[in-house]
Amino acid sequence: MGGLFRKGGWLLPLSFRARVFVALVGISATTSLVIGLVLYYFTENRLVQEEQRSLIQRSQLANASAGEFLEGTRNPESDIYPPPPTYAGELVQAIAGPTGLGVLYVAPDGTPLAARQGSESPDPERLYGELGLSEEMIERAERSSQGEGRIYPRDGWPRYITVWPLQGSDGVVRGTIAYYAPQEDLDRTLGFLRFGILGAIGTSILLAGLASFLLTRQITHPLSVTRDAAIRVASGDYSVVPVNRQDELGEVAAAFNYMAQEIERNVREIQEQKTRLESVLEASPEAVVAIDPGERVTMANPAAARMLNITPERLGRPFGESEVPEGVMECLRTALKSGAAVREVESGGRIYWAYAARMARPEEDGRDPGVILAVRDITEYRSLERAKTAFVSDLSHEIRTPLTTIQSAMGIVQSAGERLEPAERRALQLAEQELRRIRSMVEELLTLAQMDSQQYSLEIGPTNLEDVIREAVESIGAKAERFGITVETDFGAGEHTCPGDARKLYQVFLNLLDNAVKYSDPGAHVRVSVEEGENELSVRVSDTGLGIPEDDLPQLFERFYRVDKARSRASGGSGLGLSIVKEIVELHGGRVGVESELGAGSTFTVTLPRFPATRPADYAR
């Protein structure tokens, strides 16, 4: 039975307790009614069958008595029977009294002559019609060869009648007699049976109602306690439900207590995480703003109020109303379309770095949660960076002038080399090596300064990597030969052409070859190979040198990072070469990586695109 009933009618929604009660009482009432009906109809059928059997037996005895009475009316001398009208009344009276049956005597010509029912004598003609007798039924009885009667069922009163022929000792039929049983006793018995069954049904319903009430109370009381506890949990009270049962309801209570404890623990953890997150956001120097797909502000930290004028009063309002810089708005809208965006924005004499990304997790209802926008004021950082770049650039230029003078002076001294003592010539060679190392460091510093100030440019054109690599190998050949190191090349098949700046790529491969020679022992091998893919060219510079520790690989391309600092100083390393390599390769749209094993050597792989590639519109350096 459902909890919702006919709308607008007199039936109202019922509680669970009422539904259980009604269901149990209804089942009990239906069961009792079905059993009572089956019992009533079974008993009624048995009584009617018994009445039918009794009527047949009694009518047979009565008809035998009627035959004896008929023989008593015969004249012994003449052996003649009197006419039926003369003895009809006495006949039915003599039969009806002892048997208790209703009797109707019909003459041989079909005329009803006499009737008797108890102490009454009904009208024969009327009774003939009420019994539903017909000429066919009378004739069928008279034609009976053995003097047997027939029983006929009826729809009304009486239920059954029997029709017997009245024969004398001479075998001649002298009329027919119809017998029927009075209905008062049977009707009285069936009435008592009906009242008894109805009383039993009513009693069973009352008992079932009482049992159902007690059972529903026993079931619903623990549920009501659990419901009240659930309401308390919703309001923050995690007190447990008493478990005083060992059945399924007790298991429900125990499970509820476990759930309440888990909810309390999870809520506490979430609250702690929320508190930590709020502390981080409040302490963060970056402006952090959450924005929904409709560009409305849903969350902002204090830095957003200082930097973007997004105060708590503006929550729920469009982000653009806060008069944020246009570049920040473009970053936000790009992220809403493509998923993420980065911008460096200048506004009002300040420089901002803006990053926006779509939130990864959707809302519970499947809606887009929007984006997170982070804005950092990098004005001071850019000022320091420009000052540093300017300082390095100015220092490098200032150093180049005296270095050029020193180089010229050393050239003059070298022209008189034959007149110099051996120690003086050795000192001159050392000075020339240090001068070259200083000039190399100055050039590297100038290159990085140009990259930082975005003044470093590429002259892109069709470049044959095979020619560039051969030139780099020739340049390093003398140094490799001096250290007893063999340099091999393997160009394979193909033209190995890609868009690039030949001089800058020459610098990349020269630096990698110089490192391979520098950090290899005499007798080692350096191998340069080129592989051509569908869209990329890969250049591998492998050596059988010392190798690089695994812990140093992630920082290998950082500025001024040196693996073996003592050996780097001895060999003149500055820690800038690989960072310049990385910058140049990435400016070409490529990538550089390294694989190394201590004692087995290293392999640097430079991957360059074979076709021109454009930089994404939302990229900011």
Side-chain angles (χ1 to χ4, degrees):
M1 184 175 292
L4 295 177
F5 285 73
R6 191 170 61 245
K7 212 170 183 181
W10 59 272
L11 294 176
L12 299 176
L14 297 179
S15 64
F16 175 73
R17 176 184 296 180
R19 293 201 302 272
V20 173
F21 176 78
V22 171
L24 292 176
V25 172
I27 292 172
S28 176
T30 303
T31 304
S32 300
L33 182 60
V34 170
I35 294 174
L37 290 175
V38 170
L39 178 62
Y40 175 77
Y41 285 112
F42 176 77
T43 305
E44 181 186 31
N45 186 53
R46 294 290 296 177
L47 289 174
V48 170
Q49 289 178 358
E50 182 62 27
E51 178 193 21
Q52 177 184 358
R53 187 182 62 80
S54 175
L55 177 61
I56 294 173
Q57 292 177 352
R58 291 164 67 188
S59 64
Q60 187 177 8
L61 293 175
N63 200 60
S65 298
E68 293 176 357
F69 179 86
L70 180 61
E71 289 298 321
T73 62
R74 186 178 59 144
N75 189 338
E77 297 178 357
S78 60
D79 201 21
I80 298 174
Y81 292 94
T86 61
Y87 60 80
E90 295 179 4
L91 174 64
V92 295
Q93 186 176 0
I95 299 172
T99 61
L101 298 175
V103 181
L104 172 63
Y105 175 55
V106 181
D109 60 358
T111 303
L113 295 179
R116 190 74 175 179
Q117 181 178 336
S119 59
E120 299 179 356
S121 298
D123 179 46
E125 295 287 345
R126 180 177 60 80
L127 185 59
Y128 184 91
E130 290 178 355
L131 294 178
L133 293 172
S134 64
E135 294 180 359
E136 181 183 357
M137 296 167 64
I138 300 299
E139 292 176 357
R140 187 177 297 174
E142 291 177 348
R143 290 197 302 267
S144 175
S145 61
Q146 301 295 329
E148 297 176 352
R150 294 180 179 273
I151 186 167
Y152 295 97
R154 285 176 42 78
D155 295 333
W157 173 91
R159 287 186 174 84
Y160 297 96
I161 61 173
T162 58
V163 182
W164 292 79
L166 180 60
Q167 291 179 339
S169 59
D170 56 358
V172 178
V173 177
R174 287 177 172 77
T176 56
I177 303 176
Y179 301 95
Y180 61 92
Q183 300 294 310
E184 290 80 3
D185 294 340
L186 179 60
D187 291 341
R188 188 181 303 110
T189 301
L190 292 176
F192 288 151
L193 178 62
R194 283 194 295 269
F195 286 120
I197 291 176
L198 289 176
I201 292 174
T203 303
S204 66
I205 291 175
L206 290 176
L207 294 176
L210 178 61
S212 299
F213 175 78
L214 297 176
L215 180 61
T216 53
R217 178 178 176 82
Q218 190 178 17
I219 292 175
T220 57
H221 178 69
L223 296 179
S224 299
V225 173
T226 305
R227 177 203 60 197
D228 297 339
I231 296 174
R232 293 197 302 271
V233 168
S235 62
D237 181 5
Y238 301 99
S239 57
V240 298
V241 177
V243 181
N244 49 17
R245 301 169 63 112
Q246 301 299 322
D247 55 6
E248 289 80 359
L249 293 175
E251 294 177 359
V252 170
F256 178 86
N257 292 337
Y258 174 73
M259 180 194 69
Q261 294 171 359
E262 289 298 305
I263 291 176
E264 182 181 14
R265 183 178 61 82
N266 292 334
V267 168
R268 185 167 57 249
E269 292 179 357
I270 292 173
Q271 187 63 40
E272 293 174 356
Q273 294 176 1
K274 179 175 178 290
T275 302
R276 287 195 295 268
L277 179 60
E278 289 177 348
S279 301
V280 171
L281 290 175
E282 289 177 0
S284 173
E286 294 185 1
V288 180
V289 186
I291 304 162
D292 66 13
E295 298 187 7
R296 290 181 295 272
V297 179
T298 58
M299 186 277 295
N301 67 340
R306 297 191 303 269
M307 197 178 304
L308 303 176
N309 196 30
I310 302 178
T311 59
E313 294 78 15
R314 295 184 179 273
L315 295 179
R317 302 183 62 83
F319 181 69
E321 290 185 0
S322 302
E323 299 181 358
V324 297
E326 183 61 28
V328 176
M329 285 296 302
E330 291 179 0
C331 179
L332 168 65
R333 288 167 181 161
T334 302
L336 285 171
K337 293 178 181 178
S338 60
V342 179
R343 287 284 189 280
E344 185 172 309
V345 181
E346 294 188 19
S347 177
R350 311 294 294 178
I351 302 175
Y352 301 99
W353 179 86
Y355 171 75
R358 190 187 303 276
M359 298 186 201
R361 295 184 177 179
E363 300 285 351
E364 292 183 355
D365 56 2
R367 293 181 302 169
D368 184 356
V371 299
I372 287 290
L373 173 68
V375 180
R376 179 188 299 176
D377 188 341
I378 59 171
T379 305
E380 296 182 2
Y381 172 78
R382 286 296 185 223
S383 298
L384 291 174
E385 189 178 61
R386 291 192 185 103
K388 180 198 71 173
T389 302
F391 172 76
V392 172
S393 178
D394 293 344
L395 179 63
S396 299
H397 282 290
E398 291 297 327
I399 292 177
R400 291 179 74 177
T401 300
L403 287 179
T404 302
T405 303
I406 294 173
Q407 182 71 42
S408 300
M410 290 184 62
I412 296 173
V413 174
Q414 283 179 344
S415 63
E418 294 180 357
R419 296 192 297 272
L420 296 176
E421 296 292 333
E424 294 174 337
R425 286 199 298 271
R426 177 59 181 164
L428 186 62
Q429 290 175 355
L430 293 176
E432 186 177 6
Q433 291 177 3
E434 291 300 316
L435 181 62
R436 283 199 299 270
R437 188 169 70 87
I438 294 173
R439 289 181 64 89
S440 175
M441 292 178 60
V442 169
E443 292 298 330
E444 289 176 346
L445 287 172
L446 279 174
T447 299
L448 290 175
Q450 291 174 352
M451 290 178 176
D452 290 340
S453 62
Q454 299 183 9
Q455 297 177 355
Y456 190 83
S457 59
L458 301 178
E459 296 181 3
I460 300 296
T463 303
N464 190 315
L465 282 185
E466 186 174 339
D467 295 340
V468 174
I469 294 171
R470 288 187 187 279
E471 183 178 356
V473 169
E474 290 177 0
S475 300
I476 203 68
K479 183 176 181 179
E481 185 177 355
R482 186 168 65 252
F483 285 102
I485 296 173
T486 304
V487 180
E488 303 172 350
T489 57
D490 179 11
F491 296 109
E495 298 181 356
H496 309 317
T497 301
C498 67
D501 187 324
R503 297 313 305 165
K504 302 297 190 300
L505 292 176
Y506 165 79
Q507 184 178 355
V508 167
F509 298 125
L510 182 62
N511 193 302
L512 294 177
L513 287 169
D514 184 68
N515 283 344
V517 171
K518 186 187 304 181
Y519 296 104
S520 295
D521 293 329
H525 296 274
V526 177
R527 185 172 184 272
V528 184
S529 62
V530 182
E531 294 182 5
E532 186 169 326
E534 182 177 355
N535 298 310
E536 295 177 332
L537 284 171
S538 296
V539 180
R540 289 183 173 82
V541 179
S542 304
D543 63 65
T544 58
L546 303 176
I548 303 169
E550 184 177 357
D551 294 340
D552 292 314
L553 293 178
Q555 297 87 26
L556 196 60
F557 294 95
E558 294 179 2
R559 295 182 182 184
F560 301 105
Y561 186 83
R562 292 180 292 188
V563 176
D564 187 347
K565 297 176 176 54
R567 179 158 183 165
S568 296
R569 292 190 184 97
S571 58
S574 63
L576 295 175
L578 289 179
S579 63
I580 293 175
V581 166
K582 183 175 182 291
E583 293 277 354
I584 294 175
V585 171
E586 289 181 350
L587 286 174
H588 280 80
R591 59 187 183 276
V592 60
V594 59
E595 297 176 356
S596 184
E597 182 180 351
L598 277 177
S602 306
T603 298
F604 287 81
T605 303
V606 176
T607 304
L608 298 170
R610 292 184 58 196
F611 308 102
T614 57
R615 183 169 292 173
D618 61 346
Y619 176 85
R621 183 177 175 82

